[in-house]
Amino acid sequence: MNDTSRKWGTLVVACLAMLLLSLDLTVLHLALPKLGEDLAPSATQLLWIADIYGFALAALLVTMGNLGDRIGRRRLLLVGLAAFGATSVLTAYAPNAPLLIAARALLGVAGATIMPSTLSLVRNVFPDPKERTTAVGIWSSVGAVGFALGPIVGGLLLDHFWWGSVFLINVPVVAAVLAAGFVVLPESRNPRPGRLDLLSVPLSAVGVLGLIYAMKEATSGGVTQPSVIAAAVIAVAALVVFVRRQTRLAEPLIDVALFRRRAFAATVGAELIAVFAMLAMSVVFAQYFQLVMGWSPLTAGLAGMPGGLAGGVGGALSGVLVHRWGRGPVVSLGLVLTAIGFILFSRIDMETPYLYMLVAMIIQGVGMGFMFAVTGDTLLASVPKERAGAASAISETAHEMGGALGIAVLGTVLTSVYRNGLVLPPGLPGGPAAEARDTLAGALKVAATLPGDAAGAVVRAARQAFVEGIHVTVLTGAAILLVLAVAVPFALRGVPKVIPETGEEETGEEETGGQEPAEGVVTAR
């Protein structure tokens, strides 16, 4: 197999692996009702079933990214894929809630080996900066499409099979990716990996896991809960010790010096804040389509699909725009388009036609596609190839933290506006009234137990309060994105359209004073 075939084959394998993970991030949500009927988990167990995958994934991304740099990214990806397929089967046939939680945790561990490996392999097989930008744009587009396809695939499977089918769908995809990976993937690793600092591994895991747990729990029960305070304190302490330790180690788990590179630090920050807004809005509109519009899960999944497809289009087009306008302007444009989509969402009500929603989703999706493709490429291009796994892991960890923070902050805004704006009909007993004020789903459940006129009044009041909450939430998200859109061009000022290799790779040559090389100049190797 020649080099050209191998590198584009590597991109195909990386995209399929990314598609697998993107599907798995969203496909479970629709299965929770059926899963609850079959396994009868407690409310706490149901939350852990939904969250443990993301917790395990986020906690181990940094470790797995570094492990791939050391033992080989191809090896780690293939081992991780095999483990992902095996644990998908265990998850599908879990006989009770505790075993399902354990299987989902193992699935997250396996997923943590796949995420950083895919992007770092792409970084290493595309040394040409223009080709690399195109390749990362395609990779990003596939991730956006997979995120949109998850609810549709889940809805189709759940219409015909039991809840475990949403996990078994992973098995044939894993088999195909493994077969292709053995043939086309080249091995790459850091030629001077050093030893893995064993104390840094639990420090990073505890810090990231504790921080995300605190964010998620604060959303449902408030920041004053003892568990939230304890998790936040432990997380901050672990992360402070972790960062201090990294600055003193000759072979750190995370090279803190990477954050001195303006392009690297700016793109990580931009991704965190953009995911902050995007994931929160995804959760909000999943509820809007099903609980306000009254659509089935499959219909809601189909309705949201154009946004993901538009993200794929934006990612594919981003490379062309970067070569014309530069990185900062394209990222800024993507953020502005996303903010415009959010502002359009602020005009919806309970009778908004789908066509209006479609226009807003496409604008938002294209904007997100621009942003994520360019920041992903900029992040990879701003570090040497041997650090690609660690850099990818930092990026993915920022995604997980941004998502948790977005749901915590914007979810709190939505819940607060909903509760303060809900006007229930007089005479509703205290218990049902409290349940209706808790969530929109709770209000609809209460309404189902009431006589006709009272039920209709509760449903209308709850849906109206929820829509008003959406208005405030999306405008808050739009304001955050617009501030970021203004800041990004300054943060990426001077970063060339085509970022050359740093010259810090196999030869081990040092950077020249930390300055950005001029566009089109490739330093000595």
Side-chain angles (χ1 to χ4, degrees), residues 415 418-424 428 431-440 442-443 446:
T415 301
Y418 168 79
R419 290 173 177 171
N420 292 331
L422 180 60
V423 180
L424 294 171
L428 195 64
E435 186 175 359
R437 289 190 182 281
D438 191 32
T439 63
L440 174 56
V446 167

Side-chain angles (χ1 to χ4, degrees), residues 31-326:
L32 289 176
K34 283 192 175 183
L35 187 155
E37 293 175 6
D38 290 351
L39 300 185
S42 67
T44 301
Q45 287 175 330
L46 196 62
L47 286 174
W48 277 106
I49 290 168
D51 290 340
I52 191 63
Y53 173 80
F55 286 165
L57 186 80
L60 292 172
L61 279 169
V62 170
T63 298
M64 293 303 182
N66 278 270
L67 187 62
D69 287 344
R70 286 169 164 81
I71 70 170
R73 293 139 192 157
R74 176 183 182 272
R75 178 182 299 175
L76 184 66
L77 177 60
L78 295 178
V79 170
L81 282 167
F84 197 86
T87 50
S88 293
V89 176
L90 290 177
T91 305
Y93 291 104
N96 54 53
L99 288 178
L100 178 58
I101 292 169
R104 286 279 290 167
L106 291 175
L107 203 62
V109 173
T113 69
I114 298 171
M115 267 191 174
S117 299
T118 58
L119 200 51
S120 56
L121 280 167
V122 171
R123 166 69 174 89
N124 277 268
V125 299
F126 286 94
D128 178 79
K130 290 185 178 181
E131 285 189 343
R132 184 195 60 238
T133 299
T134 301
V136 173
I138 294 171
W139 178 88
S140 177
S141 300
V142 170
V145 171
F147 192 83
L149 285 175
I152 298 171
V153 172
L156 288 171
L157 290 171
L158 293 169
D159 278 350
H160 299 90
F161 305 103
W162 95 116
W163 60 266
S165 62
V166 301
F167 299 108
L168 286 185
I169 193 65
N170 294 337
V171 176
V173 180
V174 165
V177 177
L178 274 174
F182 274 112
V183 175
V184 304
L185 290 181
E187 186 58 280
S188 67
R189 61 171 61 87
N190 187 341
R192 299 174 301 279
R195 65 183 182 87
L196 189 67
D197 182 57
L198 296 181
L199 182 58
S200 294
V201 171
L203 284 173
S204 68
V206 169
V208 172
L209 181 59
L211 199 57
I212 293 178
Y213 174 83
M215 291 174 185
K216 285 181 175 288
E217 287 298 301
T219 305
S220 57
V223 297
T224 58
Q225 298 176 91
S227 61
V228 171
I229 296 172
V233 169
I234 292 171
V236 170
L239 289 174
V240 168
V241 174
F242 174 78
V243 171
R244 288 175 63 86
R245 184 170 180 82
Q246 302 316 294
T247 61
R248 297 172 181 175
L249 289 173
E251 298 154 353
L253 193 65
I254 286 183
D255 186 355
V256 180
L258 289 175
F259 287 92
R260 297 173 188 161
R261 299 168 182 257
R262 184 158 43 85
F264 183 88
T267 51
V268 170
E271 287 184 334
L272 187 150
I273 295 174
V275 173
F276 170 99
M278 183 188 72
L279 191 56
M281 291 304 98
S282 174
V283 173
V284 167
F285 282 102
Q287 296 179 71
Y288 174 82
F289 285 137
Q290 294 185 62
L291 302 181
V292 175
M293 305 299 287
W295 295 348
S296 70
L298 178 57
T299 303
L302 290 168
M305 185 176 179
L309 296 177
V313 172
L317 293 176
S318 62
V320 176
L321 296 181
V322 165
H323 295 144
R324 291 185 179 180
W325 300 341

